[in-house]
Amino acid sequence: MNRKSSGITAGNPIRCKAAIARKAGEPLVIEEVIVAPPKLREVRIKIICTSLCHSDVTFWKMEHPPAIYPRIFGHEAVGVVESVGEGVHELVEGDTVIPIFLPDCGECTDCLSEKSNLCTKLPFRLSPWMNREDTSRFTNMNGETLYHFLSVSSFSEYTVVDIAQLTKIDPSIPPNRACLLSCGISTGVGAAFKTAKVEAGSTIAIFGLGAVGLAVAEGARLRGAKRIIGVDVNQDKFELGKKFGMTDFVNSRNCGNKTISQIIIEMTGGGADYCFECVGLSSLVHEAYASSRKGWGKTVVVGLDKLDATLTFNSFEVLHSGKSLMGSYFGGLKPKSDIHILEKRYLDNELQLDKFVTHEVDFMDINKAFDLLLEGKSLRCVI
């Protein structure tokens, strides 16, 4: 890593190490790379900690577009500002920040409204480039272009991120916890807090108990939910889920001749008030919708399915049941403002970030993090 002070490196390329994915599903390769200086409204940051999210694994496995290689994955992270590009006034050298894949420009109608977190000026896209211009800030030592991932690419000692995708945070939060606020945990907690607005005393059902699903449970616990039902194929997830307020468990492999929704309706006397689909399967979205109570039940789609997956509902059922179905991208959170609420919850010992970290590995052992997640042994592995 280039260890010169940022005052010297500012405006110049930085040579450092990055973990590069060169082929789908193959181990990442640690290589020397060149990270260009930030351009207009961009910031170069030194990554302190990053963590492996299931989205990284999903795209790492892809062989066809939007897959592209060679690529630097990673998007859950925390870092320190090394230098800023032209037009950046919100951050200065030395600020502690977390990059977030969802832009928040602070200027468009959506970003100025509390009703949406979907920026219009810089809409989210699965692009391998920087957001404001289709170019990369990464090359290898031979000048080969290396592609970005979710406009973050945190599996590098340094990276360049648009100012719209950086949130300044309290530096007193341990880095190996702060990085969790960057994506998955915030998404799950936000889905309960912001999208569903779970009410105290309510009953919720969560389909899929990975890190995001358990974060939904944590969010529902903080909102005062009375009953939290987890649904998963892994029986061990029940004991784990209890740490985050889960009260009941349904093993979807042991339902006999009943559907999951029939079991949940029987358990709850009519259905759950709030249902969350956290796997990314259209079939589970239908089960979650069927599991929600008539009249006021809300089903929140949090999981990412295949890009061409579709949902089919009976029109009369939708009309007659009075239920609602909604999507929740990044938990409905506005990166520039709502993250600070979660930050305070953690500092006040309310939000249990610590319990999500099951493993930590050195950057040079990054492939071990992939192995642990693929084997179902980790919730969050901090790198």
Side-chain angles (χ1 to χ4, degrees):
M1 179 185 296
N2 189 320
R3 301 191 181 279
K4 296 179 182 179
S5 69
S6 59
I8 298 174
T9 58
N12 297 312
I14 283 181
R15 177 176 172 174
C16 67
K17 294 186 184 301
I20 301 173
R22 291 204 162 270
K23 290 185 179 180
E26 292 191 359
L28 307 187
V29 182
I30 305 293
E31 298 183 20
E32 293 279 332
V33 301
I34 301 295
V35 184
K39 294 188 178 182
L40 178 70
R41 300 292 285 161
E42 294 176 357
V43 178
R44 189 162 59 189
I45 63 174
K46 177 182 179 180
I47 298 294
I48 303 173
C49 281
T50 185
S51 48
L52 181 62
C53 176
H54 203 275
S55 296
D56 295 304
V57 176
T58 298
F59 282 89
W60 166 72
K61 289 180 178 179
M62 284 186 185
E63 296 182 4
H64 306 291
I68 190 169
Y69 301 94
R71 196 172 211 174
I72 300 176
F73 284 105
H75 64 286
E76 281 191 357
V78 62
V80 174
V81 174
E82 173 270 336
S83 61
V84 302
E86 182 184 350
V88 173
H89 310 291
E90 301 91 329
L91 296 171
V92 297
E93 173 195 334
D95 282 343
T96 302
V97 294
I98 58 171
I100 295 173
F101 71 92
L102 195 65
D104 184 352
C105 75
E107 300 170 0
C108 70
T109 300
D110 294 275
C111 289
L112 291 173
S113 170
E114 282 300 311
K115 298 178 181 180
S116 173
N117 68 344
L118 303 177
C119 182
T120 299
K121 183 177 180 180
L122 297 170
F124 171 80
R125 56 190 184 132
L126 294 172
S127 169
W129 308 111
M130 293 298 295
N131 230 337
R132 297 177 196 258
E133 58 173 76
D134 289 344
T135 56
S136 174
R137 299 293 170 268
F138 296 111
T139 54
N140 70 1
M141 303 310 291
N142 296 321
E144 177 188 23
T145 296
L146 305 172
Y147 297 105
H148 292 254
F149 179 62
L150 297 184
S151 304
V152 176
S153 292
S154 59
F155 294 166
S156 173
E157 291 179 322
Y158 286 86
T159 188
V160 177
V161 182
D162 194 282
I163 185 63
Q165 293 172 246
L166 288 171
T167 296
K168 184 178 177 179
I169 64 165
D170 189 331
S172 68
I173 299 179
N176 61 352
R177 300 297 181 261
C179 61
L180 302 186
L181 295 173
S182 188
C183 182
I185 309 309
S186 293
T187 294
V189 173
F193 260 80
K194 193 86 182 273
T195 305
K197 296 180 175 63
V198 168
E199 297 167 317
S202 60
T203 296
I204 77 164
I206 306 167
F207 293 73
L209 300 176
V212 173
L214 292 171
V216 171
E218 175 72 353
R221 180 189 68 82
L222 289 170
R223 293 282 294 185
K226 181 180 181 181
R227 196 172 184 187
I228 301 174
I229 304 167
V231 181
D232 203 278
V233 298
N234 185 349
Q235 187 67 36
D236 295 338
K237 291 294 181 73
F238 188 23
E239 286 303 313
L240 183 59
K242 288 178 181 178
K243 297 179 180 179
F244 303 100
M246 195 179 301
T247 58
D248 302 84
F249 182 81
V250 175
N251 188 322
S252 54
R253 286 180 173 166
N254 299 329
C255 292
N257 59 358
K258 294 182 179 180
T259 63
I260 301 172
S261 55
Q262 287 174 329
I263 291 173
I264 290 178
I265 287 171
E266 290 174 5
M267 290 174 66
T268 58
D273 301 309
Y274 302 94
C275 292
F276 299 83
E277 198 284 333
C278 302
V279 177
L281 286 175
S282 58
S283 59
L284 277 184
V285 175
H286 285 104
E287 278 298 298
Y289 185 80
S291 300
S292 65
R293 180 175 293 274
K294 70 179 187 300
W296 66 71
K298 285 185 179 181
T299 298
V300 181
V301 179
V302 185
L304 174 64
D305 203 343
K306 295 178 181 178
L307 300 183
D308 59 351
T310 58
L311 299 171
T312 305
F313 292 93
N314 178 277
S315 180
F316 178 75
E317 179 190 0
V318 172
L319 172 66
H320 181 258
S321 70
K323 303 176 183 181
S324 60
L325 174 70
M326 60 192 70
S328 181
Y329 216 50
F330 192 55
L333 299 176
K334 300 178 79 66
K336 300 286 190 181
S337 53
D338 290 333
I339 290 299
H340 296 303
I341 298 173
L342 301 187
E343 178 184 63
K344 186 176 186 303
R345 288 272 189 165
Y346 174 72
L347 292 173
D348 290 344
N349 297 313
E350 297 174 8
L351 177 62
Q352 304 176 115
L353 291 181
D354 298 355
K355 293 183 179 180
F356 287 96
V357 178
T358 54
H359 298 82
E360 295 191 14
V361 300
D362 291 334
F363 182 52
M364 301 302 287
D365 296 324
I366 190 170
N367 288 301
K368 184 177 179 181
F370 279 74
D371 293 339
L372 290 166
L373 189 60
L374 291 168
E375 293 166 5
K377 295 180 179 178
S378 73
L379 284 180
R380 276 297 181 266
C381 181
V382 175
I383 302 159

